[in-house]
């Protein structure tokens, strides 16, 4: 069992850093920040929590990210495919005229 763990750890450490997802430049400084404050900062920078799995969408920059939290702090922010934020699915769903803050996560491309 220990040998298996050691081999797995060695394999992960040998990966080139280019294979690891990088944080978008506009929010890279939030890595290491306390989660509650960083969440407010994400919102002030145009990101909307699209519901579940710490996934955020920025309609202005067309950026989808997943936030990784460890011990109450943002440990990493990975840019992921827009489809993970409900974008680029081929469905053109207009923003409902009565959209509320509570339902904003259901319509990631919309704003109030």
């Amino acid at each position: 069992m220990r040998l298996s763990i050691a081999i797995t750890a060695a394999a992960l450490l040998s990966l080139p850093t280019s294979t690891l997802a990088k944080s978008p430049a506009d929010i890279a400084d939030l890595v290491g920040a306390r989660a509650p404050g960083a969440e407010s900062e994400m919102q002030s920078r145009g990101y909307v929590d699209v519901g579940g799995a710490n996934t955020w969408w920025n309609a202005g920059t067309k950026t989808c990210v997943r936030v990784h939290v460890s011990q109450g702090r943002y440990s990493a922010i990975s840019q992921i495919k827009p489809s993970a934020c409900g974008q680029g699915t081929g469905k053109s769903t207009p923003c409902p005229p009565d959209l509320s803050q509570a339902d904003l996560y259901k319509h990631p491309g919309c704003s109030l």
Side-chain angles (χ1 to χ4, degrees):
M1 179 70 172
R2 284 186 179 180
L3 180 60
S4 174
I5 293 171
I7 290 172
T8 302
L12 289 174
L13 291 174
S14 67
L15 287 175
T17 56
S18 62
T19 62
L20 302 175
K22 290 187 177 182
S23 301
D26 63 333
I27 53 175
D29 63 310
L30 298 179
V31 174
R34 291 185 48 195
E39 183 174 305
S40 297
E41 192 60 33
M42 292 278 290
Q43 292 170 345
S44 74
R45 295 182 191 189
Y47 285 82
V48 176
D49 185 348
V50 293
N54 290 326
T55 306
W56 295 76
W57 171 251
N58 186 319
T61 61
K62 306 288 189 238
T63 304
C64 181
V65 297
R66 177 154 297 130
V67 174
H68 308 273
V69 179
S70 177
Q71 298 180 350
R73 295 189 176 272
Y74 278 21
S75 59
I77 303 172
S78 305
Q79 186 166 346
I80 55 178
K81 294 180 181 180
S83 60
C85 287
Q87 304 300 308
T89 59
K91 299 178 198 171
S92 179
T93 312
C95 299
D98 60 344
L99 184 63
S100 69
Q101 181 70 34
D103 291 333
L104 193 58
Y105 76 94
K106 295 177 185 175
H107 306 279
C110 301
S111 62
L112 297 178

